[in-house]
Structures are given as C-alpha cells and as structure tokens.
Amino acid sequence: MVTNLKRSKKRAWSAIVFSIFLASLAIGAIGFLAVTNWKISQKRADLQERREVLEKEIQVLEEQIADLQAGITQTETDDYQTEKLYEEGYFPTGSVPIVVLPPEEGVAEKEETTEEKNPWQKFLEVLGF
C-alpha cells in the first residue's frame, strides 16, 4: 500500500497542475473575450457617431441639390436668359441700350466737404494754408 500512496500523490500533483492550467486558460479566454467585446463596443459607438454626422451631411447636401435644381429651373426661363444676355452686352438688333451708372463717390464727398467748411476755413484755403 505504501507504493500506492506515492503514485496517488504524483497523480494528485499532476491533476492540480492540470486544473490550474485549465483555470488559467479559461480565465485568459474570458479576459480576451471581455477586452475584445469592450473594443468592439467602443468601435461601434464611434461608428454610430460618424453615421449620425454623415446623415446630417447627407441632409445638407440633399437640400443643396434641391436648391440647385430650383436654380436650374429658374435659369431655363426665357426672362432669365434674356436678362443674362443684356448683362453680358448682347442686345437684339434695332434696340438702343441704356446704361445706368452709379453716382461717383468722389463727387459726393467733394460736395460734402465744401458744405462743412466754415468761412474761416475758406479764407485760409484762399491764402493757401
């Protein structure tokens, strides 16, 4: 029986070592899966935020497309095309173009400065001061 005790002790140690190995392997696998799950959830949250931003950009772009299409339909009208031709200097034959120019700023400023001067300043201007 003594010999059987020695063998059972060896088997007990090998069973303990094997159990520790399996437990550490299981803990390692669970830890790996937990870390991987955490990384995936972070990535999913980032992708959700990006999706929301891209959806907002899509809405803005769709509104721009609608505005551009409305502009295209406006430019297809005859009135708009004739207006653009007049702006570019093309006039139908037999018509006389009339050009309206904005008032010159220098003339308006000069008139304002003459009105603001008092008689003493006018006298100094005549003398050359």
Side-chain angles (χ1 to χ4, degrees):
M1 281 208 177
V2 177
T3 57
N4 288 337
L5 289 176
K6 288 183 183 178
R7 287 185 185 173
S8 65
K9 286 183 181 178
K10 286 183 182 179
R11 288 184 186 171
W13 282 104
S14 63
I16 292 173
V17 170
F18 184 70
S19 298
I20 291 173
F21 174 73
L22 284 178
S24 64
L25 186 64
I27 290 172
I30 291 171
F32 173 76
L33 291 175
V35 169
T36 305
N37 188 28
W38 179 66
K39 287 182 180 180
I40 288 173
S41 66
Q42 281 186 338
K43 181 91 171 179
R44 178 177 288 158
D46 291 341
L47 290 175
Q48 288 285 355
E49 290 175 9
R50 180 163 177 159
R51 188 191 78 178
E52 291 172 2
V53 168
L54 291 176
E55 284 177 350
K56 289 178 183 177
E57 287 181 16
I58 287 172
Q59 289 177 351
V60 169
L61 291 174
E62 286 176 349
E63 290 173 2
Q64 287 179 352
I65 287 173
D67 292 342
L68 290 174
Q69 287 176 347
I72 288 173
T73 56
Q74 179 185 2
T75 58
E76 291 175 348
T77 61
D78 290 334
D79 293 335
Y80 181 81
Q81 290 177 358
T82 54
E83 180 183 335
K84 283 297 177 183
L85 287 174
Y86 284 153
E87 287 177 4
E88 292 177 9
Y90 298 107
F91 300 100
T93 57
S95 66
V96 178
I98 298 174
V99 179
V100 178
L101 299 175
E104 295 181 10
E105 294 180 15
V107 173
E109 290 177 8
K110 190 174 184 181
E111 292 174 3
E112 289 177 11
T113 56
T114 57
E115 293 174 3
E116 294 176 4
K117 294 181 182 178
N118 61 24
W120 177 251
Q121 290 175 339
K122 290 179 183 178
F123 177 72
L124 289 176
E125 280 185 13
V126 172
L127 293 178
F129 288 108

